[in-house]
Amino acid sequence: MEEDLRRYFSAPMWTEDEARGQNPLVLAYIGDCVYELFIRSEILHRNEKVARLHRASAKRAKASAQSALAEDLKDFFTEEEAAIFKRGRNTHQKTMAKHASVADYRNATGFECLIGYLYTSGQSERLRTYFTEIERIWEDEC
């Protein structure tokens, strides 16, 4: 069974060059999913009702929270990662979040684009490093 699931959830989907050439919104689309799964996996250990788990994950996933994380992590970006983030942040979007500023929404898109790039290009170790740093940031907030 595990082997079957890897077919669906294994990176890399593309080489780094191919991932770099994707539409930033495509990278943000998959990055949003990867980040949401990371958040939900982190809060799942809580022995709480689903509604509380949802509120906790929504708090971490909202645009303003992602924008703040991007700001906290920007010194951590490599030159390549900064370029991917900026492409995502600066790409033209036809929709905007109802409860976020334009700046937060754009920064969140850049953050999701970076996560999507790392995931689809198979940079699992770097993605794990980011997730570890994000956990540290969350711990410092408490």
Side-chain angles (χ1 to χ4, degrees), residues 12-31 80 83-89 91 109 112-114 116-121:
M13 297 175 169
W14 300 305
T15 66
E16 287 182 37
D17 284 341
E18 289 170 333
R20 201 176 301 112
Q22 297 299 313
N23 180 324
L25 295 178
V26 169
L27 295 174
Y29 175 76
I30 192 70
E80 176 72 20
I84 296 292
F85 171 81
K86 287 177 185 175
R87 277 188 59 222
R89 183 193 64 198
T91 196
T109 302
E112 291 171 347
C113 183
L114 175 58
Y117 167 75
L118 293 172
Y119 176 77
T120 60
S121 63

Side-chain angles (χ1 to χ4, degrees), residues 20-40:
R20 201 176 301 112
Q22 297 299 313
N23 180 324
L25 295 178
V26 169
L27 295 174
Y29 175 76
I30 192 70
D32 174 64
C33 178
V34 170
Y35 184 62
E36 182 73 28
L37 184 59
F38 164 69
I39 293 170
R40 289 181 182 204

